[in-house]
Amino acid sequence: MKRLSQVVLAAVCFALVSVSAQAQEELTDQDYKDYAVILLAQKSITDKISPMVNELIEKQEGMTGQRFQELSDKKGEPAQAWETQFMTLVNKQIDAKKKAAGTVVTTLAKHSLGASKYNAVKKAYASGGDAKAKIDSFMAELVQE
């Protein structure tokens, strides 16, 4: 995980240093690599949500993973007052992590690719094919570094 944090830090530094005014409409391998860095930065934050929730569940007397899931899915017995308070606390922390991930994505996208290129790469990645394969390959390389 330390290695992934170093990659994220390097990416932020790279993004801030390498702001350039590229007027090209064609997506380059560097664009795909920059997008891969953005995805890894987002993943490094969102991957911490589930362990955080599990830790909070373990610390909360009377709460189990199964009961938490029932409350999340609004199934089973109605929530007791303490369960509702616990769920509110957990959901606030989840939302904070998601917001942080969104802020990182926005900042990196703005300073590395720009909005139009970011959206173009995101669309290409979502459509699959060569773009997805390249980005996934860059992500694998960056994680190994």
Side-chain angles (χ1 to χ4, degrees):
M1 195 43 111
K2 183 178 178 183
R3 182 61 106 181
L4 186 55
S5 296
Q6 290 173 341
V7 169
V8 171
L9 181 58
V12 170
C13 292
F14 170 78
L16 294 175
V17 172
S18 69
V19 175
S20 63
Q22 294 181 348
Q24 302 173 355
E25 288 301 308
E26 184 177 317
L27 298 176
T28 66
D29 281 351
Q30 186 61 48
D31 295 332
Y32 293 140
K33 190 171 190 175
D34 289 347
Y35 187 77
V37 168
I38 292 169
L39 290 181
L40 286 173
Q42 179 183 38
K43 184 175 175 7
S44 74
I45 296 170
T46 58
D47 281 355
K48 293 177 181 140
I49 292 174
S50 185
M52 175 199 66
V53 170
N54 290 336
E55 184 179 330
L56 291 171
I57 291 170
E58 287 176 20
K59 290 179 180 178
Q60 178 61 50
E61 186 177 327
M63 183 58 68
T64 65
Q66 180 180 349
R67 181 63 179 148
F68 182 85
Q69 193 61 46
E70 288 174 359
L71 293 169
S72 295
D73 295 340
K74 297 180 180 16
K75 295 181 180 176
E77 298 177 24
Q80 297 176 23
W82 71 269
E83 290 175 324
T84 302
Q85 289 175 340
F86 177 73
M87 293 298 291
T88 300
L89 171 76
V90 171
N91 287 331
K92 281 183 183 178
Q93 291 190 20
I94 291 170
D95 291 344
K97 290 261 188 216
K98 288 180 179 178
K99 184 177 179 183
T103 300
V104 166
V105 168
T106 301
T107 303
L108 288 174
K110 178 180 175 184
H111 292 290
S112 65
L113 290 170
S116 62
K117 271 206 176 180
Y118 172 80
N119 289 329
V121 176
K122 182 178 178 180
K123 184 177 179 181
Y125 183 74
S127 68
D130 190 42
K132 183 173 181 355
K134 282 183 180 183
I135 293 167
D136 288 343
S137 173
F138 285 131
M139 287 174 63
E141 284 177 28
L142 290 168
V143 168
Q144 288 178 359
E145 290 180 359

